[in-house]
Amino acid sequence: MHDILLINISGPDKPGVTSTISDLLSRYDVNVLDIGQAVIHDTLTLGMVIEVPPGSESSPVLKDVLFACHGMGMGVRFTPINNAEYEDWVGGQGKDRFIVTILARKITAKHIAAVTSIVAGHGLNIDHINRLSGRISLGEKSKDQKACVELSVRGAPRDIAQMRAQFLAAAGDLGVDIAFQKDNAYRRNRRLVCFDMDSTLIEAEVIDELAKAAGVGEEVSAITEQAMRGELDFTQSFKRRVGLLKGLDESVLEGIAHSLPITEGAEDLIRALKALGYKTAILSGGFTYFGHYLQQKLGIDYVFANELVVHNGKVTGEVQGQVVDGKRKAELLKQLAAQENLNLQQVIAVGDGANDLPMLSVAGLGIAFRAKPMVKESADHAISELGLDGILYLLGVRDRDSEELLTRS
């Protein structure tokens, strides 16, 4: 018969608590079966499951731990665990694990309650809860804040599709983003991020800006909106829009490129990804002229887009080569993954429109960014409340880690 005990210690955080207790236990040749520690607002909580060897008695161990904790001003509680309970706990280690990430400008108790209620409703146990975002000053303005809490949960969801739908509904009602992904080796080893360009890396649709300069803004914008909502075939609508640009002066392209508004968080995200060793790509239904401009500005590795034909300083209203539509984006993503010797599970795709759905569906992590409702409903993950750097939270990167990466890059 093994003496197995759960020890819970809590009190003011201070150096030496864990070392003092573990050193004391070592004198009895105690086997540590599980251990966890957390600090919240200078309050430490330490938990240990220990096995007291047959040659020792648990009473002296408990007495020594009790005295040591009293001397440090810490509270302690002992709970015996019988062998059957312990073996049942061991048997649970093969269960699937998932990560639920809550992202917002500010996270409230209402947000936590909604998410944990859905998790519990599907029979999942929460193992850990961690704050990934930095500490927030009371004087910091809400629009400048970022908040992220990550839950590690265990078990088999009763209905994953239903749970995702519940998360999506809760996110819409509460004004937060909720991501749910399997916790596996691929999540911690992703290496390529493929971005849409228009309304993703930049806060504009370039073709609309070109159309305004050509005097056909309203007509082209209406076609763009229909295409992004999935109401028109992308390739046909694209050619119709490009045809309306015929005669536009080439000099207009440069002016628009230099005035493109970069999406919130894009520059910090790319710098952090590069520091982490990721490759990045633009897979766009827009134009290579602007893709290459962003490539130079942000440090993107690959660019695939449409080649706008210019002749004698004028736009001809045509594109050269195969149109980069939704199907082509997915093909290019697969080609890049193969070129980089990556499994598709190691690839992230980010986009906002209906033509991005094919690449979002084949990537290991497909993220609908500030997307149209139909796209958010179809994608596995969505970010609408934060900037592009919110993607780092889905990779498990803490604010303090990203700050260090940005300092060194």
Side-chain angles (χ1 to χ4, degrees):
M1 189 75 172
H2 298 266
D3 283 339
I4 301 176
L5 298 167
L6 169 62
I7 304 175
N8 290 110
I9 297 169
S10 61
D13 183 32
K14 63 184 73 175
V17 174
T18 305
S19 63
T20 297
I21 299 301
S22 57
D23 179 65
L24 187 156
L25 294 174
S26 71
R27 301 172 195 173
Y28 295 92
D29 293 326
V30 161
N31 182 21
V32 178
L33 302 174
D34 196 16
I35 185 169
Q37 179 174 305
V39 176
I40 298 179
H41 202 266
D42 296 330
T43 298
L44 177 146
T45 301
L46 169 66
M48 303 176 75
V49 176
I50 66 168
E51 177 192 18
V52 181
S56 301
E57 294 184 5
S58 59
S59 296
V61 177
L62 303 186
K63 182 179 70 174
D64 287 355
V65 171
L66 182 62
F67 277 119
C69 288
H70 178 75
M72 294 185 291
M74 310 291 287
V76 61
R77 185 174 76 251
F78 304 100
T79 305
I81 301 173
N82 64 46
N83 285 17
E85 290 173 330
Y86 177 75
E87 292 300 332
D88 183 60
W89 173 76
V90 170
Q93 66 185 332
K95 292 184 179 179
D96 287 340
R97 292 184 179 273
F98 300 89
I99 297 295
V100 182
T101 311
I102 309 171
L103 308 94
R105 297 295 177 182
K106 180 186 294 185
I107 292 177
T108 70
K110 185 179 289 187
H111 303 150
I112 302 292
V115 171
T116 54
S117 176
I118 294 170
V119 167
H122 285 268
L124 301 176
N125 291 328
I126 300 173
D127 285 337
H128 307 288
I129 300 178
N130 297 305
R131 172 176 52 83
L132 301 187
S133 49
R135 299 174 183 177
I136 299 172
S137 168
L138 294 176
E140 190 172 344
K141 295 181 180 179
S142 180
K143 67 180 180 63
D144 299 322
Q145 292 179 8
K146 291 189 299 180
C148 177
V149 172
E150 179 186 271
L151 289 72
S152 175
V153 303
R154 170 174 41 89
R158 295 193 175 101
D159 186 329
I160 287 185
Q162 183 188 58
M163 184 170 60
R164 288 190 185 279
Q166 290 173 331
F167 280 144
L168 183 63
D173 292 341
L174 299 172
V176 296
D177 295 319
I178 305 168
F180 176 79
Q181 55 182 312
K182 192 162 187 178
D183 188 12
N184 55 27
Y186 290 123
R187 175 182 177 262
R188 298 181 291 275
N189 193 34
R190 294 193 167 110
R191 286 293 175 266
L192 170 66
V193 187
C194 297
F195 296 95
D196 173 45
M197 181 171 65
D198 297 48
S199 296
T200 300
L201 278 177
I202 56 174
E203 295 179 334
E205 291 286 335
V206 169
I207 197 166
D208 289 348
E209 299 304 311
L210 293 172
K212 291 175 187 176
V216 291
E218 291 186 7
E219 189 174 351
V220 167
S221 182
I223 299 173
T224 300
E225 279 299 311
Q226 286 180 288
M228 290 297 99
R229 291 195 301 265
E231 297 172 5
L232 290 177
D233 173 78
F234 178 84
T235 300
Q236 291 178 338
S237 67
F238 179 72
K239 290 181 177 180
R240 280 174 55 191
R241 286 175 287 166
V242 173
L244 293 170
L245 303 178
K246 184 176 181 179
L248 184 65
D249 196 277
E250 183 181 14
S251 63
V252 173
L253 276 64
E254 182 178 1
I256 289 175
H258 286 285
S259 63
L260 290 176
I262 306 299
T263 298
E264 175 195 359
E267 292 174 284
D268 284 349
L269 172 62
I270 301 297
R271 286 173 58 199
L273 290 173
K274 287 170 67 70
L276 288 168
Y278 279 71
K279 294 289 187 178
T280 54
I282 290 175
L283 306 183
S284 173
F287 304 110
T288 54
Y289 184 96
F290 303 96
H292 289 144
Y293 172 81
L294 289 175
Q295 181 178 34
Q296 295 299 315
K297 185 177 180 66
L298 300 177
I300 302 289
D301 294 295
Y302 302 102
V303 173
F304 295 92
N306 298 298
E307 189 70 39
L308 190 62
V309 178
V310 178
H311 183 67
N312 292 331
K314 300 289 185 181
V315 173
T316 66
E318 300 171 320
V319 289
Q320 181 176 310
Q322 183 177 355
V323 171
V324 179
D325 57 6
K327 180 181 177 183
R328 182 60 178 157
K329 286 186 179 187
E331 291 172 351
L332 289 166
L333 183 148
K334 292 177 182 178
Q335 289 176 19
L336 285 174
Q339 182 177 322
E340 295 290 336
N341 295 312
L342 300 174
N343 186 293
L344 286 174
Q345 288 296 315
Q346 294 176 273
V347 182
I348 301 169
V350 189
D352 73 298
N355 64 319
D356 295 311
L357 284 173
M359 74 170 181
L360 298 186
S361 67
V362 299
L365 180 64
I367 303 169
F369 179 74
R370 297 181 181 176
K372 313 299 184 290
M374 184 272 287
V375 180
K376 288 177 67 173
E377 291 170 7
S378 301
D380 285 340
H381 310 280
I383 293 180
S384 299
E385 301 301 321
L386 299 183
L388 275 173
D389 53 346
I391 290 171
L392 293 170
Y393 291 138
L394 301 190
L395 306 181
V397 178
R398 297 173 181 268
D399 276 357
R400 64 170 179 260
D401 299 325
S402 57
E403 288 167 6
E404 181 181 358
L405 292 170
L406 294 176
T407 300
R408 293 183 177 183
S409 64

